[in-house]
Each structure stands twice: as structure tokens, then as C-alpha cells.
């Protein structure tokens, strides 16, 4: 009890005074205090800058603390309560407190039931998500009534933590991921994300060198790690789509999967299912960017490009295509390319000048009139192929064994009403780098005008 030794008569008297005052307080009517404001972010990621410039921050946790001035002395901050911003980014808290002047502190946290953004050292910390200070009174005292702190925007010039690099990055990730989650959850409960999305940024493990280090989505913990130099929409959505796939396939996610993306899952791999997951994540990222930001749809590779090589690896057969992430990427894009009959897949490269375009090329106009009926699948339908469908003969979600192009296309034809078995065969023949058929042969027939 050493502290008792320094317990002077003076400090005792002050404490007694405070106690009396607090007693008196409890007997008198409280005053009403309202603190309100609005949260926004001035975007940094180019897609968000171009599409929105600045966005309201919705669904963010806001913690408001207050302190009172009693007998001319400021007390300590005490947390009053936590509220969540509405769809416009607005928050408001009303409390009854003793009628003193107050000062406030407002902190925000990027965490909700659907999403949380973890800070740089979250892995070794019990606090996974940080509170960022966006407002604190230092000179102004507030009596009863409403204090409107106005719009508080995360930007390079914002006060307090509003200009903190990590906080600004988190605000952008928050908006980017909310848009994607809303898009996919909008396809219905069968395709919705099944648990909270947890993303850590920036990620940079000291134990792994930068050359090996990468962004990845851990299949066991389902936490997304975004490497410090991968702050871009393409990577953010790629990792998010890994999580979606993990949540909508059948079977155990083996421990081996934890090694996914640590340098060995891109390019040609032994297991088609590994290439499937990588290709799907990349495809899904493309589709989200197209559907959310209006990016131009990507076209599949043409056969010349596949056979000349993707990243230096010639993909000359279907079995090689399905062992390569970008082979799968092409396989998925074939399914959702609109008006396939407008394009040609070219044919296998046989040597010669390497001036080939990479993707499908426009078909030359024909003097003959054709009637064409190519499949028109949507991204939402491709996602549906993952799901169990007992009526169609698939009691389970997609399994590893089904992550072969022909089986995936067949499953798609069985599950999707607007894709026939003939169409799925056509997809396979068009994807086949050794094939020669073109969409015109597969989906069109000439129109014969009656003779006069
Ligand atoms: Zn990946």
C-alpha cells in the first residue's frame, strides 16, 4: 500500500469534494447530448476514383467517448457507446449525461458482420482490427444539445488518423469489398458468401523473402493476406474470389492448400484442381471489375496464343490447358463471352512470324447471312455450376475430381437450363488448342432465302 504514503490531506479533500458533487449530480436531471456526423473516403484505387471519386463509408463501427469538466477539471474519456454508419455514412448518438461541458473523441473501425479489415501487425496481436481516431476536441467545450462534426473524409489532408496511410487504404478496401460482396450476395442466398470476409493489409512477413512472399487466401482460416505492394483491385478481387470458391466447393480443404500461392500455383501445375482455383479466382476478379466498374469484358485466348505459349508454356492440348491457371481462365471466359459468333479462335500455331493477337479476333464479314444462337451465360450462372443440384443429378457442390474442363462444362449443361449438351461440347471444341472449329460452325446456320 505504498500509494497511501503519498495520499495527502489536499488530495483527500478534492476526492471528497468530487464524491459529494457526484452524489449531487445523481439527484439532478440529466441533459441530452447528441453527437453526429458523416464518414467518407476520397479514393486512391483508380477504379474507385474513376467510378466514385469519393464514397460514403457505410456499415462502419463508430465509437464515441466523452469527458466532462467538473469543478474546472477535465475527467478522463469514457466510452459512451458504439454505433454503425448508415447507407449514407451517417452516424448519430444521443445520451443523457450530467449537465456539464463535454469534449468528445470519435473513433472508427472497419468491421461488420460481413467484413473486417485487419491491420499490419494483426497476426501477432489480439486486436485484429484497429480503431482510428477521426475527431478529438482540444479547445472547444460543448454544452447540452447537438454537436455535428460534419463530414469526416479519409484523405491525404484529413486531420487525425483520417490521413493515416493504413486507415486510408483500409477505407478503400472497405468500399471495394462491400461492392463485391453486395454484387455476389445479390445473386441469392445459395451463392452468397457464407461467412465474414477477413482481409489483412498490408501483409509482409519478416520470415519470408519478398521474392517468395505473395498475396494469398488461406483456405484453412479463410483470411485474405494482401502483400504490401499488391494494393490494387485486381489482386483484392482475385483473393476474394478464392474465398468464394473455398466456401462453395465440396470436400476438405487439405493443409496442402495453405501453400497455395506461395509461388507454386500459377502456370503449369500437376493438379488440374489447383489450376482451376487459380484460373477461377482470376476470372472472377475480371467479372467483378466488369460488373461493378463497367470494365470492358475480357476475351478468351485464341488458339495461336495458347499453342505458342502462355508465359512461355505452350498449351497444345486440353489436358495442358486444364493444368494451367490461364487455360482455365480462358475456359471460364468462353462461357460468358457474349455473341461468340462474332469472333474466331484461330488455329494452332505452326511456326512463322510471332505477330499473333492474344485473344479472340473479330470474324471476317461473310457474304452469306447467318442465323446464330450462341449461349449467353452470366457470371451468376457460372457460380451456380459450383452448387449442388439434386434435380440435375448433382447432390454435392463441385468436387476436386470435377475440376476438369469437360466435366465442368458438362455439369454446366446439366444445371443451367439455357446451356445444352451440344453447347457444352462446342465450348470444349473451341477451347481445344488443337481444334479447328469456329463459333460460326458451332452456333450458326446459313439463312437460305427462298428463290423468287
Ligand atoms: Zn490466386
Amino acid at each position: 500500500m505504498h500509494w497511501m504514503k503519498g495520499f495527502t490531506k489536499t488530495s483527500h479533500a478534492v476526492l471528497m469534494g468530487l464524491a459529494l458533487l457526484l452524489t449531487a449530480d445523481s439527484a439532478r436531471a440529466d441533459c441530452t447530448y447528441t453527437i453526429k456526423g458523416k464518414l467518407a473516403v476520397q479514393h486512391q484505387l483508380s477504379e474507385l476514383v474513376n467510378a466514385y471519386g469519393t464514397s460514403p463509408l457505410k456499415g462502419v463501427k463508430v465509437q464515441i467517448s466523452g469527458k466532462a469538466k467538473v469543478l474546472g477539471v477535465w475527467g478522463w474519456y469514457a466510452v459512451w457507446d458504439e454505433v454503425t454508419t448508415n447507407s449514407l455514412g451517417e452516424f448519430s448518438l444521443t445520451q443523457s449525461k450530467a449537465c456539464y461541458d463535454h469534449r468528445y473523441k470519435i473513433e472508427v473501425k472497419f468491421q461488420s458482420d460481413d467484413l473486417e479489415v485487419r491491420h499490419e501487425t494483426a497476426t501477432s496481436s489480439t486486436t485484429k482490427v484497429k480503431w482510428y481516431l477521426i475527431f478529438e476536441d482540444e479547445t472547444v467545450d460543448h454544452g447540452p444539445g447537438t454537436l455535428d462534426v460534419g463530414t469526416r473524409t479519409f484523405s491525404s489532408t484529413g486531420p487525425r488518423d483520417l490521413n493515416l496511410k493504413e486507415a486510408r487504404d483500409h477505407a478503400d478496401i472497405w468500399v471495394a469489398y462491400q461492392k463485391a460482396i453486395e454484387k455476389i450476395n445479390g445473386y441469392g442466398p445459395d451463392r452468397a458468401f457464407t461467412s465474414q470476409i477477413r482481409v489483412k493489409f498490408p501483409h509482409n512477413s519478416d520470415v519470408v523473402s519478398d521474392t517468395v512472399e505473395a498475396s494469398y487466401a488461406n483456405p484453412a482460416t479463410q483470411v485474405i493476406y494482401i502483400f504490401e505492394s499488391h494494393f490494387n483491385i485486381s489482386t483484392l478481387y482475385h483473393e476474394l474470389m478464392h474465398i468464394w470458391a473455398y466456401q462453395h466447393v465440396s470436400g476438405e480443404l487439405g493443409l496442402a492448400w495453405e501453400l497455395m500461392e506461395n509461388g507454386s500455383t500459377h502456370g503449369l501445375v500437376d493438379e488440374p484442381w489447383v489450376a482451376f482455383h487459380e484460373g477461377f479466382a482470376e476470372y472472377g476478379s475480371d467479372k467483378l471489375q466488369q460488373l461493378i466498374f463497367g470494365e470492358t469484358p475480357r476475351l478468351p485466348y485464341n488458339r495461336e496464343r495458347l499453342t505458342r505459349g502462355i508465359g512461355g508454356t505452350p498449351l497444345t492440348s486440353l489436358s495442358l490447358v486444364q493444368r494451367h491457371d490461364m487455360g482455365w481462365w480462358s475456359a471460364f471466359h468462353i462461357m460468358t463471352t457474349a455473341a461468340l459468333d462474332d469472333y474466331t479462335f484461330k488455329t494452332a500455331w505452326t511456326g512463322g512470324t510471332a505477330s499473333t493477337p492474344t485473344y479472340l479476333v473479330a470474324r471476317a464479314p461473310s457474304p452469306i447471312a447467318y442465323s446464330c444462337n450462341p449461349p449467353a451465360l452470366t457470371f451468376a450462372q457460372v457460380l451456380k455450376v459450383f452448387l449442388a443440384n439434386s434435380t440435375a443429378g448433382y447432390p454435392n457442390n463441385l468436387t476436386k475430381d470435377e475440376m476438369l474442363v469437360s466435366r465442368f462444362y458438362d455439369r454446366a449443361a446439366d444445371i443451367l437450363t439455357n446451356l445444352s449438351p451440344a453447347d457444352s461440347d462446342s465450348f470444349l471444341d473451341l477451347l481445344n488448342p488443337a481444334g479447328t472449329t469456329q463459333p460460326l460452325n458451332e452456333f450458326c446456320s446459313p439463312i437460305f432465302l427462298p428463290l423468287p
Side-chain angles (χ1 to χ4, degrees), residues 215-217 235 238-239 241-242 246 260-261 265-266 274 277-282 325:
S215 300
Y216 66 104
T235 302
H238 175 104
E239 302 307 337
M241 289 313 297
H242 271 309
Y246 297 160
M260 280 188 82
E261 299 217 272
T265 53
H266 294 277
V274 173
H277 275 277
E278 283 306 337
F280 173 75
E282 195 58 20
D325 54 344

Side-chain angles (χ1 to χ4, degrees), residues 200-201 203 212-217 224-232 235-236 238-239 242 260-263 266 278:
K200 178 184 179 250
F201 179 81
H203 178 65
V212 179
E213 182 79 356
S215 300
Y216 66 104
I224 294 170
Y225 298 85
I226 303 293
F227 183 51
E228 57 182 359
S229 61
H230 290 175
F231 182 59
N232 59 70
T235 302
L236 286 167
H238 175 104
E239 302 307 337
H242 271 309
M260 280 188 82
E261 299 217 272
N262 281 331
H266 294 277
E278 283 306 337

Side-chain angles (χ1 to χ4, degrees), residues 339-352:
L340 265 180
D341 54 285
D342 287 348
Y343 302 97
T344 165
F345 279 67
K346 307 195 82 167
T347 51
W349 189 55
T350 53

Side-chain angles (χ1 to χ4, degrees), residues 9-182:
K9 282 184 177 169
T10 312
S11 58
H12 185 252
V14 169
L15 281 179
M16 287 299 286
L18 276 173
L20 282 171
L21 206 125
L22 289 171
T23 311
D25 271 354
S26 60
R28 79 181 184 203
D30 283 347
C31 294
T32 300
Y33 297 84
T34 296
I35 301 95
K36 59 184 279 195
K38 189 174 171 180
L39 289 180
V41 54
Q42 191 177 81
H43 291 301
Q44 302 176 80
L45 292 165
S46 58
E47 291 83 354
L48 295 171
V49 171
N50 295 337
Y52 315 110
T54 298
S55 295
L57 288 167
K58 61 180 176 181
V60 173
K61 282 185 181 166
V62 180
Q63 180 174 269
I64 294 162
S65 303
K67 64 180 181 182
K69 193 178 183 180
V70 180
L71 285 181
V73 178
W74 285 105
W76 285 276
Y77 274 117
V79 174
W80 279 14
D81 209 347
E82 199 175 287
V83 291
T84 301
T85 55
N86 66 16
S87 61
L88 301 173
E90 298 166 337
F91 63 89
S92 177
L93 176 70
T94 298
Q95 298 256 299
S96 284
K97 296 285 176 186
C99 300
Y100 298 116
D101 276 350
H102 284 86
R103 284 185 182 172
Y104 303 106
K105 192 166 83 170
I106 306 175
E107 295 161 291
V108 304
K109 182 153 120 170
F110 295 106
Q111 185 180 51
S112 70
D113 290 345
D114 295 332
L115 175 63
E116 71 175 33
V117 188
R118 297 181 172 189
H119 60 89
E120 182 168 19
T121 55
T123 308
S124 57
S125 168
T126 50
T127 307
K128 302 297 183 197
V129 185
K130 266 189 201 165
W131 285 110
Y132 293 117
L133 182 67
I134 62 148
F135 177 87
E136 186 174 2
D137 281 317
E138 273 173 353
T139 53
V140 184
D141 305 343
H142 306 283
T146 298
L147 169 66
D148 187 345
V149 300
T151 301
R152 298 275 146 177
T153 305
F154 285 89
S155 73
S156 58
T157 56
R160 309 284 178 189
D161 290 349
L162 287 166
N163 69 20
L164 197 69
K165 175 82 171 77
E166 185 180 69
R168 292 176 62 208
D169 293 348
H170 284 194
D172 256 20
I173 292 172
W174 185 259
V175 173
Y177 269 15
Q178 270 185 337
K179 300 274 178 200
I181 293 168
E182 279 167 18

